[in-house]
Amino acid sequence: MTGLTAAELSAKLQSREISAQEAAEAHFDRIETIDGDYGAYLLLCREEAMKQAEAAQAMLDAGDAPALCGIPYALKDNIVTKGITTTCASKVLEGWVPPYSASVYQQMQNQGMVLLGKTNLDEFAMGTSTENSAYQLTRCPWDPHCSPGGSSGGSAAAVSAELAPISFGSDTGGSVRQPASLCGVVGFKPTYGRISRYGLVAFASSLDQIGPFGRTVEDTSLAFEAVAGHDRHDSTSLPNAAYSSKELKSGSLKGLKMAIPKELFGDEVDPGVKEVFERGIKKLQAEGAIVSIVSLPSLQLGVTTYYIIAPAEASSNLGRYDGIRFGPRIEEGDHNKSTAMTRGQLFGHEVKLRIMVGTYALSAGYYDAYYHRAQQVRGLMADEMAEVMKEHDVIISPTSPVSSFRLEDDSLDQMALKMLDLCTIPANMGGFPSISIPCGADNDMPVGLLLTGPVMGDEKLLQAAWAAEQALGFVGRRPPIL
Amino acid sequence: MSISMEEVRRTAELARLELDEAELAAFQGELNALLGHFEDIQEVDTEGLDPKPHAVALTSVWAEDEIEEGLSREDALSGAAKTRAGLFIVPTVIEESH
């Protein structure tokens, strides 16, 4: 049962061939059997899940239940869940039980969806390998010696290893799409503002967006539909945010204009990834896609721009962790000393580094050279992309310059890890919807294809991704587990 | 641009991060490496470019003035290490002047 897509599972639940409790149990059984090897979940909520499954079954029995009623799913552990521990994979929030729920969690509860557990991430979503978790490593289901990517590595690995049919992560610079690419699944970052951020623990508020994972574009689209919509609790939520999957399968590649920015396809991209990407492009062209190479010079500046803006916003957002209102506190000396001790000892290295970078970039004397300038370049990037989208339906590139890499590999320096976001960052800068779908495999390791569309163009983008998925023929390939 | 040890200390202080000497030294190295990479945007001609602070800009977002249940005092205090009489307990921050 765990091999079924959410769409297939939904048909069986709606026809009452299987029950919501059976669907949840089947997933818990598989998690208990194999997740010890992969570490996708930080926390399982079996008791709560069985209650939710029971409520879902009552809705299904009554008839006219929502499409994903009874479907099990996983949430990245930076999305707050009332009564269920939320840690952001940080010691700073160890044991914190939130007194409220994120809007997405509330919406899914209302629809009878069943939360299996909370998944691992890089601490506060800062990283590209999930190795920055304060609690555990997560392993790529395609090769357990390798990283699932990050920061939503747990949510990507859970879907890839069939430990949940769908899951949710957050994407600030690629944290949904890059792990989706490395784990051979679909990951989608919608237009900024289409999914409420209320209850998503803030990292860089102007870039953060919740996004779904699925093993198919259809499942990802259904998961998006379940949570998209305006939310008065989020002042950056868009007015016409709701989404429908109804037209998804009307997508076609015939005459679809695709632009490849040469800046995202240069020497940074591994030759093996390039080859898979080029083979993929040929398949899309064979189905009628019109592919051209374009130049967007500002995209070369994306990594720098991101690593100024995101830490700047993070240094402010993470100011709230002082051990007074939530999380443990280390008492030593006066208030300032205790606060600094709490933060110094409980934040991990990468989080502290980014707080330092952000604090420095915002400090007197450096603000203009770094933060202000980065915001100007951000505008330039968004404008260049919007301009290309006037003539093209989608911008495409590899999702990640490399396929999955070995865990705890000291040869990868800080900047090499940060370059992994090269292709995914531009979409966050302009709030553009962007999706990674499996393109093929290099030495049996998945390689993702990234498609990005204009703001509020999520419908057309998902249709294009669905059509591309049909042409690429990766669906059905499974990682070598059990 | 390179960052001195004094600036690293000052930044850690502003960020309320208590770091030991080894960590301060490590951060100095890492910050300098990153600032080195950041040089590329110094070369861009940004004259006249508007800064973009939002992904998708919205203006004048107002919510209807509806009465709804907020967090209860008990819930709001539920994550705190120390509370008393329905309040967060914080250390003294204003000292008596002599």
Side-chain angles (χ1 to χ4, degrees), chain A residues 1-6 8-9 27 30 161-162 165 215 219 478:
Chain A
M1 196 189 302
T2 51
L4 298 175
T5 64
E8 290 163 347
L9 202 52
H27 284 88
R30 184 169 169 87
E162 299 173 1
R215 289 191 290 272
D219 279 7
R478 304 169 72 210

Side-chain angles (χ1 to χ4, degrees), chain A residues 277-294:
Chain A
F277 179 70
E278 279 167 352
R279 271 206 307 270
I281 296 302
K282 288 207 176 85
K283 290 182 189 169
L284 303 181
Q285 285 172 317
E287 295 299 318
I290 302 159
V291 180
S292 40
I293 310 270
V294 296

Side-chain angles (χ1 to χ4, degrees), chain A residues 3-339:
Chain A
L4 298 175
T5 64
E8 290 163 347
L9 202 52
S10 165
K12 289 185 191 294
L13 285 161
Q14 298 279 345
S15 69
R16 290 151 75 196
E17 187 184 322
I18 55 169
S19 70
Q21 290 95 326
E22 286 167 338
E25 282 294 356
H27 284 88
F28 281 121
D29 285 350
R30 184 169 169 87
I31 292 165
E32 271 156 26
T33 313
I34 68 166
D35 197 39
D37 297 336
Y38 297 97
Y41 285 91
L42 276 176
L43 177 81
L44 294 178
C45 10
R46 185 187 267 270
E47 207 177 303
E48 186 61 32
M50 294 325 289
K51 275 189 226 156
Q52 292 181 359
E54 198 185 318
Q57 193 54 45
M59 287 167 79
L60 288 159
D61 289 341
D64 205 26
L68 295 188
C69 186
I71 298 288
Y73 69 99
L75 280 180
K76 185 177 184 178
D77 202 25
N78 62 349
I79 297 172
V80 306
T81 43
K82 186 175 180 174
I84 298 169
T85 313
T86 301
T87 65
C88 294
S90 179
K91 294 284 182 195
V92 156
L93 281 176
E94 188 162 23
W96 182 58
V97 180
Y100 73 107
S101 284
S103 292
V104 290
Y105 178 51
Q106 191 56 55
Q107 277 166 286
M108 289 193 279
Q109 274 183 297
N110 296 346
Q111 291 167 56
M113 295 171 67
V114 179
L115 178 67
L116 297 170
K118 308 292 293 284
T119 56
N120 198 21
L121 63 150
D122 286 300
E123 183 178 1
F124 284 104
M126 297 179 186
T128 49
S129 66
T130 312
E131 290 168 290
N132 295 335
S133 167
Y135 298 106
Q136 67 193 36
L137 282 178
T138 297
R139 298 174 182 281
C140 180
W142 294 79
D143 179 348
H145 301 294
C146 288
S147 166
S151 66
S152 314
S155 285
V159 168
S160 170
E162 299 173 1
L163 304 174
I166 52 173
S167 65
F168 291 82
S170 62
D171 190 313
T172 304
S175 280
V176 164
R177 294 161 289 153
Q178 183 259 11
S181 172
L182 270 49
C183 289
V185 297
V186 178
F188 176 45
K189 183 202 85 69
T191 294
Y192 181 88
R194 285 198 81 162
I195 298 178
S196 170
R197 289 187 298 112
Y198 181 71
L200 167 66
V201 177
F203 161 14
S205 310
S206 81
L207 304 164
D208 295 343
Q209 178 66 88
I210 290 175
F213 291 92
R215 289 191 290 272
T216 62
V217 173
E218 183 182 16
D219 279 7
T220 310
S221 168
L222 290 168
F224 175 44
E225 183 172 357
V227 297
H230 180 71
D231 179 17
R232 65 191 294 265
H233 291 116
D234 173 3
S235 64
T236 60
S237 171
L238 294 174
N240 299 308
Y243 166 82
S244 164
S245 295
K246 218 179 281 167
E247 303 295 321
L248 179 72
K249 294 182 181 177
S250 67
S252 162
L253 292 173
K254 203 148 283 163
L256 197 77
K257 289 185 190 144
M258 301 180 141
I260 306 173
K262 67 178 171 63
E263 291 76 12
L264 305 185
F265 197 51
D267 294 340
E268 298 85 357
V269 182
D270 174 81
V273 170
K274 261 189 188 171
E275 207 182 299
V276 174
F277 179 70
E278 279 167 352
R279 271 206 307 270
I281 296 302
K282 288 207 176 85
K283 290 182 189 169
L284 303 181
Q285 285 172 317
E287 295 299 318
I290 302 159
V291 180
S292 40
I293 310 270
V294 296
S295 176
L296 292 94
S298 68
L299 298 195
Q300 288 168 24
L301 305 167
V303 175
T304 294
T305 307
Y306 176 80
Y307 279 96
I308 293 171
I309 292 175
E313 293 187 20
S315 70
S316 168
N317 275 327
L318 272 61
R320 70 190 58 161
Y321 302 104
D322 56 9
I324 299 278
R325 289 155 300 160
F326 25 69
R329 178 166 167 100
I330 296 166
E331 293 282 0
E332 194 180 310
D334 66 6
H335 174 60
N336 281 350
K337 174 84 173 172
S338 297
T339 300

Side-chain angles (χ1 to χ4, degrees), chain A residues 90 193 366 412 435:
Chain A
S90 179
Y366 301 107
L412 288 166
I435 185 168

